[in-house]
């Protein structure tokens, strides 16, 4: 998913860290007058519950939008975990 997050600059590090834990990759990050805009690619499976987590991490001051960016192969370690869970 292509995810765009608007957040106060003071929370930029926390938001980027959370995206990393979700296997996301930051495509662009810019700050203008105390407001940060972060663009990232994040797997859809890792975005469930993101609104609640973002609200908690930013004291309710951030918002985000997401749209389909592209399809990609699932990493081998994730595939293995899924197969073990199904078996």
């Amino acid at each position: 998913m292509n995810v765009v997050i608007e957040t106060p600059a003071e929370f930029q590090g926390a938001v980027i860290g959370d995206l990393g834990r979700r296997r996301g990759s930051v495509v662009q990050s810019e700050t203008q007058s105390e407001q940060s805009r972060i663009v990232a690619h994040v797997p859809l499976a890792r975005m469930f519950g993101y609104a609640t987590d973002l609200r908690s991490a930013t004291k309710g001051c951030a918002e985000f939008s997401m749209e389909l960016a592209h399809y990609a192969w699932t990493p081998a370690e994730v595939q293995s975990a899924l197969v073990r869970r199904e078996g």
Side-chain angles (χ1 to χ4, degrees), residues 68-82:
L68 179 65
H70 60 274
Y71 290 100
W73 290 102
T74 303
E77 64 274 4
V78 174
Q79 287 179 16
S80 297
L82 289 171

Side-chain angles (χ1 to χ4, degrees), residues 8-34:
E10 65 185 283
F11 302 115
Q12 182 178 11
V15 170
I16 290 174
D18 184 58
L19 291 171
R21 284 187 290 280
R22 294 172 185 273
R23 291 192 303 120
S25 59
V26 175
V27 176
Q28 181 182 11
S29 177
E30 57 188 41
T31 302
Q32 291 182 343
S33 65
E34 303 299 319

Side-chain angles (χ1 to χ4, degrees), residues 1-4 19-20 22-28 38-44 47 67-70:
M1 302 301 288
N2 189 39
V3 181
V4 178
L19 291 171
R22 294 172 185 273
R23 291 192 303 120
S25 59
V26 175
V27 176
Q28 181 182 11
I38 302 163
V39 179
H41 289 156
V42 186
L44 176 59
M47 289 301 294
E67 64 182 8
L68 179 65
H70 60 274

Side-chain angles (χ1 to χ4, degrees), residues 43-55:
L44 176 59
R46 299 296 182 132
M47 289 301 294
F48 294 105
Y50 186 64
T52 303
D53 293 344
L54 181 65
R55 202 172 318 126

Side-chain angles (χ1 to χ4, degrees), residues 6-8 11 51-63:
E6 301 279 343
T7 184
F11 302 115
T52 303
D53 293 344
L54 181 65
R55 202 172 318 126
S56 295
T58 64
K59 299 179 183 174
C61 295
E63 57 185 40

